[in-house]
Amino acid sequence: MNKRVLVFGLLIILGLSFVYAARMQAEIGLTKNWNLVYGFTASSVSESELENIKAIYAFIPTTQEYVRVYPEPEISKINSIGESYLWKSAVWVYYDKKYEGVTTKYNVEEPPALEEMQLYRRWNFVGVTPKFDKDENGVFKWNEVKGNCDILKINYYNTDLNEWSEVSLSSEIGINDALWRGFVILVSNDCKLGVSSEAISSPPAIPA
């Protein structure tokens, strides 16, 4: 009996360790405005910080429409794509406090590998995670992580100017500048991100 209790207790500890390992803490500076943030939820921040969050909206790429996730979440719309997908994308967060150099900390699930990040034809909200730093050199380019996606356009929302800025596929982006922030990407096909490798040419022709 004691052995059974011991084994059961060990399984619980291992289970809790797995859940804990599957989450991490993100940190980002939010301005008093709409901010595009990766994996942000109402339950991922402290109660005191939640007082500054007035609304959270996600984007459903399969229907190309917004869905309110906080307050009063639109459950039926969320279920059409699945909340697990939304929490692995970038969402709009309205922050009602002036930024004074203090960052906001929030809990986020362990980000998926780039190869697991599904995009759908037309617009997608994609957040930058540590997984984008494949070479661990602190920078990335979208044309290096586009996988099998045919990317037509990339935009970034400038909260200081309250306007969209277009980003080139070949632009070098600092991980520290973009980490946990969102980009809006237009693709021509359903696809997945991933490290893009250069095409290999055919072997040399046989001598004449």
Side-chain angles (χ1 to χ4, degrees):
M1 181 69 177
N2 289 337
K3 288 183 177 179
R4 289 183 179 179
V5 172
L6 191 61
V7 171
F8 182 69
L10 182 59
L11 289 173
I12 291 177
I13 292 173
L14 290 173
L16 289 175
S17 298
F18 175 78
V19 171
Y20 179 78
R23 297 184 69 81
M24 61 190 299
Q25 189 174 73
E27 191 170 349
I28 191 171
L30 299 176
T31 60
K32 186 176 181 179
N33 199 342
W34 286 106
N35 300 261
L36 206 48
V37 186
Y38 172 86
F40 196 99
T41 70
S43 61
S44 63
V45 293
S46 64
E47 290 186 13
S48 59
E49 190 65 84
L50 186 58
E51 294 179 0
N52 301 316
I53 307 299
K54 299 306 177 184
I56 302 174
Y57 278 80
F59 184 76
I60 302 177
T62 51
T63 57
Q64 297 289 294
E65 65 179 328
Y66 284 126
V67 54
R68 185 178 62 248
V69 295
Y70 176 82
E72 301 178 0
E74 298 175 291
I75 302 299
S76 61
K77 286 186 178 181
I78 293 173
N79 289 341
S80 70
I81 186 71
E83 63 178 25
S84 62
Y85 179 88
L86 296 181
W87 303 149
K88 293 175 183 177
S89 64
V91 298
W92 284 115
V93 178
Y94 192 88
Y95 193 66
D96 194 33
K97 183 180 179 181
K98 183 179 179 180
Y99 179 66
E100 297 176 337
V102 179
T103 56
T104 297
K105 296 179 180 179
Y106 68 100
N107 296 317
V108 64
E109 291 186 11
E110 179 70 27
L114 292 180
E115 293 76 12
E116 298 174 10
M117 295 183 69
Q118 176 71 53
L119 273 62
Y120 296 90
R121 180 177 173 272
R122 298 182 68 188
W123 292 105
N124 297 261
F125 281 41
V126 179
V128 174
T129 72
K131 306 289 186 180
F132 279 69
D133 192 10
K134 300 293 287 187
D135 296 329
E136 298 184 351
N137 59 1
V139 298
F140 78 95
K141 298 177 182 178
W142 282 105
N143 61 7
E144 295 175 345
V145 296
K146 66 180 183 178
N148 66 340
C149 295
D150 176 24
I151 298 179
L152 305 177
K153 197 173 183 180
I154 305 170
N155 284 88
Y156 174 80
Y157 190 71
N158 190 317
T159 55
D160 294 326
L161 301 176
N162 292 328
E163 64 182 25
W164 291 104
S165 297
E166 190 165 350
V167 179
S168 167
L169 270 168
S170 59
S171 295
E172 193 170 82
I173 300 172
I175 289 291
N176 289 338
D177 296 327
L179 189 60
W180 308 122
R181 300 193 180 278
F183 289 76
V184 178
I185 300 178
L186 179 66
V187 297
S188 66
N189 58 319
D190 292 354
C191 59
K192 289 186 178 181
L193 296 179
V195 178
S196 302
S197 57
E198 294 184 3
I200 301 175
S201 61
S202 300
I206 298 174

Coordinates of all heavy atoms in Angstrom, one line a residue, residues 10-66:
L10 N 4.9 10.3 -6.7 CA 6.0 10.6 -7.6 C 5.4 11.0 -9.0 O 5.9 11.9 -9.6 CB 6.9 9.3 -7.8 CG 8.1 9.5 -8.7 CD1 9.0 10.6 -8.3 CD2 8.8 8.2 -8.8
L11 N 4.3 10.3 -9.4 CA 3.7 10.7 -10.7 C 3.1 12.1 -10.6 O 3.2 12.9 -11.6 CB 2.5 9.7 -11.0 CG 3.0 8.3 -11.4 CD1 1.8 7.4 -11.5 CD2 3.8 8.4 -12.7
I12 N 2.5 12.5 -9.5 CA 2.0 13.9 -9.3 C 3.1 14.9 -9.4 O 3.0 15.9 -10.1 CB 1.3 14.0 -7.9 CG1 0.0 13.2 -8.0 CG2 1.0 15.5 -7.6 CD1 -0.7 13.2 -6.6
I13 N 4.3 14.6 -8.7 CA 5.4 15.5 -8.8 C 5.9 15.7 -10.2 O 6.2 16.8 -10.7 CB 6.5 15.0 -7.8 CG1 6.1 15.1 -6.4 CG2 7.8 15.8 -8.0 CD1 7.0 14.5 -5.4
L14 N 6.1 14.5 -10.9 CA 6.5 14.6 -12.3 C 5.6 15.4 -13.2 O 6.0 16.1 -14.0 CB 6.7 13.2 -12.8 CG 7.9 12.4 -12.2 CD1 7.8 10.9 -12.8 CD2 9.2 13.0 -12.6
G15 N 4.3 15.2 -12.9 CA 3.3 15.9 -13.7 C 3.3 17.4 -13.4 O 3.3 18.2 -14.4
L16 N 3.5 17.8 -12.2 CA 3.6 19.2 -11.9 C 4.9 19.8 -12.5 O 4.9 20.9 -13.0 CB 3.6 19.4 -10.3 CG 2.3 19.1 -9.6 CD1 2.5 19.2 -8.1 CD2 1.2 20.1 -10.1
S17 N 6.0 19.0 -12.5 CA 7.2 19.5 -13.1 C 7.0 19.7 -14.5 O 7.6 20.7 -15.1 CB 8.3 18.5 -12.8 OG 8.5 18.3 -11.4
F18 N 6.3 18.8 -15.2 CA 6.1 18.9 -16.6 C 5.3 20.2 -16.9 O 5.6 21.0 -17.8 CB 5.3 17.7 -17.2 CG 5.0 17.8 -18.6 CD1 5.9 17.6 -19.6 CD2 3.7 18.2 -19.0 CE1 5.6 17.7 -20.9 CE2 3.4 18.3 -20.3 CZ 4.3 18.1 -21.3
V19 N 4.2 20.5 -16.2 CA 3.4 21.7 -16.4 C 4.2 22.9 -16.1 O 4.1 23.9 -16.9 CB 2.2 21.6 -15.4 CG1 1.4 23.0 -15.5 CG2 1.2 20.5 -15.8
Y20 N 5.0 22.9 -15.1 CA 5.9 24.1 -14.8 C 6.8 24.3 -15.9 O 7.0 25.4 -16.3 CB 6.6 23.9 -13.5 CG 7.5 25.0 -13.1 CD1 7.0 26.2 -12.5 CD2 8.9 24.9 -13.3 CE1 7.8 27.2 -12.2 CE2 9.7 26.0 -13.0 CZ 9.1 27.1 -12.4 OH 10.0 28.2 -12.1
A21 N 7.4 23.2 -16.4 CA 8.5 23.4 -17.5 C 7.8 23.9 -18.8 O 8.5 24.4 -19.6 CB 9.2 22.0 -17.7
A22 N 6.5 23.7 -18.9 CA 5.9 24.0 -20.2 C 5.5 25.5 -20.2 O 4.9 26.0 -21.2 CB 4.6 23.2 -20.4
R23 N 5.8 26.2 -19.1 CA 5.5 27.7 -19.1 C 6.7 28.5 -18.8 O 7.7 28.0 -18.2 CB 4.4 27.9 -18.0 CG 3.1 27.3 -18.3 CD 2.1 27.7 -17.3 NE 1.7 29.1 -17.4 CZ 0.8 29.5 -18.3 NH1 0.2 28.7 -19.2 NH2 0.5 30.8 -18.3
M24 N 6.7 29.7 -19.2 CA 7.9 30.6 -19.0 C 7.4 32.0 -18.8 O 6.2 32.3 -19.1 CB 8.9 30.5 -20.2 CG 8.3 31.0 -21.5 SD 9.4 30.6 -22.9 CE 10.8 31.6 -22.5
Q25 N 8.2 32.9 -18.3 CA 7.8 34.3 -18.1 C 8.3 35.2 -19.2 O 9.5 35.1 -19.5 CB 8.3 34.8 -16.7 CG 7.7 36.1 -16.4 CD 8.1 36.5 -15.0 OE1 9.2 36.9 -14.7 NE2 7.1 36.5 -14.0
A26 N 7.4 35.9 -19.8 CA 7.8 36.9 -20.8 C 7.8 38.3 -20.2 O 7.1 38.5 -19.2 CB 6.8 36.8 -22.0
E27 N 8.5 39.2 -20.9 CA 8.6 40.6 -20.3 C 8.5 41.5 -21.5 O 9.3 41.4 -22.5 CB 9.8 40.7 -19.5 CG 9.9 42.0 -18.7 CD 11.1 42.0 -17.8 OE1 11.7 40.9 -17.6 OE2 11.4 43.0 -17.2
I28 N 7.7 42.6 -21.4 CA 7.5 43.5 -22.6 C 7.1 44.8 -22.1 O 6.4 45.0 -21.0 CB 6.5 42.9 -23.6 CG1 6.5 43.7 -24.9 CG2 5.1 42.9 -23.0 CD1 5.7 43.1 -26.0
G29 N 7.5 45.9 -22.8 CA 7.1 47.2 -22.4 C 5.8 47.6 -23.2 O 5.8 47.5 -24.4
L30 N 4.7 47.9 -22.5 CA 3.5 48.2 -23.1 C 3.2 49.7 -23.0 O 3.5 50.3 -22.0 CB 2.3 47.5 -22.4 CG 2.4 45.9 -22.4 CD1 1.2 45.3 -21.6 CD2 2.3 45.4 -23.9
T31 N 2.7 50.3 -24.0 CA 2.4 51.7 -24.1 C 0.9 51.9 -23.9 O 0.1 50.9 -24.0 CB 2.8 52.4 -25.4 OG1 2.1 51.7 -26.5 CG2 4.3 52.2 -25.6
K32 N 0.4 53.1 -23.5 CA -1.0 53.4 -23.3 C -1.6 53.5 -24.7 O -1.8 54.5 -25.3 CB -1.2 54.7 -22.6 CG -2.6 54.9 -22.2 CD -2.8 56.1 -21.3 CE -4.3 56.3 -21.0 NZ -4.6 57.5 -20.1
N33 N -2.0 52.3 -25.2 CA -2.5 52.2 -26.6 C -2.8 50.7 -26.9 O -2.7 49.9 -26.0 CB -1.5 52.8 -27.5 CG -2.1 53.1 -28.9 OD1 -3.2 52.7 -29.2 ND2 -1.4 53.9 -29.6
W34 N -3.1 50.4 -28.1 CA -3.2 49.0 -28.5 C -1.8 48.5 -28.8 O -1.0 49.2 -29.5 CB -4.0 48.9 -29.8 CG -5.5 49.1 -29.6 CD1 -6.2 50.2 -30.0 CD2 -6.3 48.1 -29.0 NE1 -7.6 49.9 -29.6 CE2 -7.7 48.7 -29.0 CE3 -6.2 46.8 -28.5 CZ2 -8.8 48.0 -28.5 CZ3 -7.3 46.2 -28.0 CH2 -8.5 46.7 -28.0
N35 N -1.5 47.4 -28.2 CA -0.2 46.7 -28.4 C -0.4 45.3 -29.0 O -1.3 44.6 -28.5 CB 0.5 46.6 -27.0 CG 0.8 47.9 -26.4 OD1 1.9 48.5 -26.4 ND2 -0.2 48.5 -25.7
L36 N 0.5 44.9 -29.9 CA 0.4 43.6 -30.5 C 1.4 42.7 -29.8 O 2.6 42.9 -29.9 CB 0.7 43.7 -32.0 CG 0.1 42.6 -32.9 CD1 -1.4 42.4 -32.6 CD2 0.3 43.0 -34.4
V37 N 0.9 41.7 -29.0 CA 1.7 41.0 -28.1 C 1.5 39.5 -28.3 O 0.4 39.0 -28.5 CB 1.4 41.3 -26.6 CG1 2.4 40.6 -25.7 CG2 1.4 42.8 -26.4
Y38 N 2.6 38.7 -28.2 CA 2.5 37.3 -28.4 C 1.9 36.6 -27.1 O 2.3 36.8 -26.0 CB 3.9 36.7 -28.6 CG 3.9 35.1 -28.6 CD1 3.5 34.4 -29.8 CD2 4.2 34.4 -27.5 CE1 3.5 33.0 -29.8 CE2 4.2 33.0 -27.4 CZ 3.8 32.3 -28.6 OH 3.8 31.0 -28.6
G39 N 0.9 35.7 -27.3 CA 0.4 34.8 -26.2 C -0.1 35.5 -25.0 O 0.0 34.9 -23.9
F40 N -0.6 36.7 -25.0 CA -1.0 37.4 -23.8 C -2.5 37.0 -23.5 O -3.4 37.1 -24.4 CB -0.9 38.9 -24.1 CG -1.0 39.7 -22.8 CD1 0.2 40.2 -22.3 CD2 -2.2 40.1 -22.3 CE1 0.1 41.0 -21.1 CE2 -2.2 40.8 -21.1 CZ -1.1 41.3 -20.5
T41 N -2.7 36.7 -22.2 CA -4.1 36.4 -21.8 C -4.4 37.1 -20.5 O -3.5 37.6 -19.8 CB -4.3 34.9 -21.5 OG1 -3.5 34.5 -20.4 CG2 -3.8 34.1 -22.7
A42 N -5.7 37.3 -20.1 CA -6.0 37.9 -18.9 C -5.5 37.2 -17.7 O -5.3 37.8 -16.6 CB -7.6 38.1 -18.8
S43 N -5.4 35.9 -17.8 CA -4.9 35.1 -16.6 C -3.4 35.0 -16.5 O -2.9 34.4 -15.6 CB -5.5 33.7 -16.7 OG -5.1 33.0 -17.9
S44 N -2.7 35.6 -17.5 CA -1.2 35.5 -17.5 C -0.5 36.6 -16.7 O 0.7 36.6 -16.6 CB -0.7 35.5 -18.9 OG -1.0 36.7 -19.6
V45 N -1.3 37.6 -16.2 CA -0.7 38.7 -15.4 C -1.3 38.7 -14.0 O -2.4 38.1 -13.8 CB -1.0 40.0 -16.1 CG1 -0.2 40.1 -17.4 CG2 -2.4 40.3 -16.4
S46 N -0.7 39.5 -13.2 CA -1.2 39.6 -11.8 C -2.5 40.4 -11.8 O -2.8 41.1 -12.7 CB -0.2 40.3 -10.9 OG 0.1 41.6 -11.4
E47 N -3.3 40.3 -10.7 CA -4.5 41.1 -10.6 C -4.3 42.6 -10.7 O -5.1 43.3 -11.3 CB -5.2 40.7 -9.3 CG -5.8 39.3 -9.2 CD -6.6 39.0 -8.0 OE1 -6.9 40.0 -7.3 OE2 -6.9 37.9 -7.7
S48 N -3.2 43.1 -10.0 CA -2.9 44.5 -10.1 C -2.6 44.9 -11.5 O -3.0 46.0 -11.9 CB -1.8 44.8 -9.1 OG -0.6 44.1 -9.5
E49 N -1.9 44.1 -12.2 CA -1.5 44.5 -13.6 C -2.8 44.4 -14.5 O -2.9 45.1 -15.5 CB -0.4 43.5 -14.1 CG 0.2 43.9 -15.5 CD 0.9 45.3 -15.4 OE1 2.1 45.2 -15.0 OE2 0.3 46.3 -15.7
L50 N -3.7 43.4 -14.2 CA -4.9 43.3 -15.0 C -5.8 44.5 -15.0 O -6.5 44.7 -15.9 CB -5.6 42.0 -14.5 CG -6.9 41.6 -15.4 CD1 -6.5 41.3 -16.8 CD2 -7.6 40.4 -14.7
E51 N -5.7 45.3 -13.9 CA -6.5 46.5 -13.8 C -6.1 47.5 -15.0 O -6.9 48.3 -15.3 CB -6.2 47.2 -12.5 CG -6.8 46.4 -11.3 CD -6.5 47.1 -10.0 OE1 -5.9 48.2 -10.0 OE2 -6.9 46.5 -8.9
N52 N -4.9 47.4 -15.5 CA -4.5 48.3 -16.6 C -4.8 47.7 -18.0 O -4.7 48.4 -19.0 CB -3.0 48.5 -16.6 CG -2.5 49.1 -15.2 OD1 -3.1 50.0 -14.7 ND2 -1.4 48.5 -14.7
I53 N -5.3 46.5 -18.0 CA -5.7 45.8 -19.3 C -7.2 46.1 -19.5 O -8.0 45.5 -18.7 CB -5.4 44.3 -19.3 CG1 -3.9 44.1 -18.9 CG2 -5.7 43.7 -20.7 CD1 -2.9 44.7 -19.8
K54 N -7.6 46.8 -20.5 CA -9.0 47.1 -20.8 C -9.6 46.2 -21.8 O -10.8 46.0 -21.8 CB -9.1 48.6 -21.2 CG -8.6 49.6 -20.2 CD -9.3 49.4 -18.8 CE -8.8 50.3 -17.8 NZ -9.3 50.0 -16.4
A55 N -8.8 45.6 -22.7 CA -9.4 44.7 -23.7 C -8.3 43.9 -24.3 O -7.1 44.3 -24.4 CB -10.1 45.5 -24.8
I56 N -8.7 42.7 -24.8 CA -7.8 41.8 -25.5 C -8.6 41.2 -26.7 O -9.7 40.7 -26.5 CB -7.2 40.6 -24.7 CG1 -6.5 41.2 -23.5 CG2 -6.3 39.8 -25.5 CD1 -6.0 40.1 -22.5
Y57 N -8.1 41.4 -27.9 CA -8.7 40.9 -29.1 C -7.7 40.0 -29.8 O -6.5 40.4 -30.0 CB -9.2 42.0 -30.0 CG -10.5 42.6 -29.6 CD1 -10.6 43.5 -28.6 CD2 -11.7 42.2 -30.3 CE1 -11.8 44.1 -28.3 CE2 -12.9 42.8 -30.0 CZ -13.0 43.7 -28.9 OH -14.2 44.2 -28.6
A58 N -8.2 38.9 -30.3 CA -7.3 38.0 -31.2 C -7.9 38.0 -32.6 O -8.9 38.6 -32.8 CB -7.4 36.6 -30.6
F59 N -7.1 37.5 -33.5 CA -7.5 37.4 -34.9 C -7.6 36.0 -35.3 O -6.7 35.2 -35.1 CB -6.5 38.2 -35.7 CG -6.8 38.3 -37.2 CD1 -7.8 39.1 -37.7 CD2 -6.2 37.4 -38.1 CE1 -8.1 39.2 -39.0 CE2 -6.5 37.5 -39.5 CZ -7.4 38.4 -39.9
I60 N -8.7 35.6 -36.0 CA -8.9 34.3 -36.5 C -8.6 34.3 -38.0 O -9.3 34.8 -38.8 CB -10.4 33.8 -36.3 CG1 -10.8 33.9 -34.8 CG2 -10.6 32.4 -36.8 CD1 -12.2 33.5 -34.5
P61 N -7.4 33.7 -38.3 CA -7.0 33.7 -39.7 C -7.9 32.9 -40.7 O -7.9 33.2 -41.9 CB -5.6 33.1 -39.7 CG -5.6 32.2 -38.5 CD -6.5 32.9 -37.5
T62 N -8.6 31.9 -40.2 CA -9.4 31.1 -41.1 C -10.7 31.8 -41.6 O -11.2 31.5 -42.6 CB -9.8 29.8 -40.4 OG1 -10.4 30.1 -39.1 CG2 -8.6 28.9 -40.2
T63 N -11.1 32.8 -40.7 CA -12.3 33.6 -41.1 C -12.0 35.1 -41.3 O -12.8 35.8 -41.7 CB -13.4 33.5 -40.0 OG1 -12.8 33.9 -38.8 CG2 -13.9 32.0 -39.9
Q64 N -10.7 35.4 -41.0 CA -10.2 36.8 -41.2 C -11.1 37.8 -40.4 O -11.5 38.8 -40.9 CB -10.2 37.2 -42.7 CG -9.3 36.4 -43.6 CD -7.8 36.7 -43.3 OE1 -7.3 37.8 -43.6 NE2 -7.1 35.7 -42.7
E65 N -11.3 37.5 -39.1 CA -12.1 38.4 -38.3 C -11.5 38.4 -36.9 O -10.8 37.5 -36.4 CB -13.5 38.0 -38.2 CG -13.8 36.6 -37.6 CD -15.2 36.2 -37.6 OE1 -16.1 37.1 -37.4 OE2 -15.5 35.0 -37.6
Y66 N -11.8 39.5 -36.2 CA -11.4 39.7 -34.8 C -12.4 38.9 -33.9 O -13.6 38.8 -34.2 CB -11.3 41.1 -34.4 CG -10.1 41.9 -34.9 CD1 -10.3 43.1 -35.6 CD2 -8.9 41.5 -34.7 CE1 -9.2 43.8 -36.1 CE2 -7.8 42.2 -35.2 CZ -7.9 43.3 -35.9 OH -6.9 44.0 -36.4

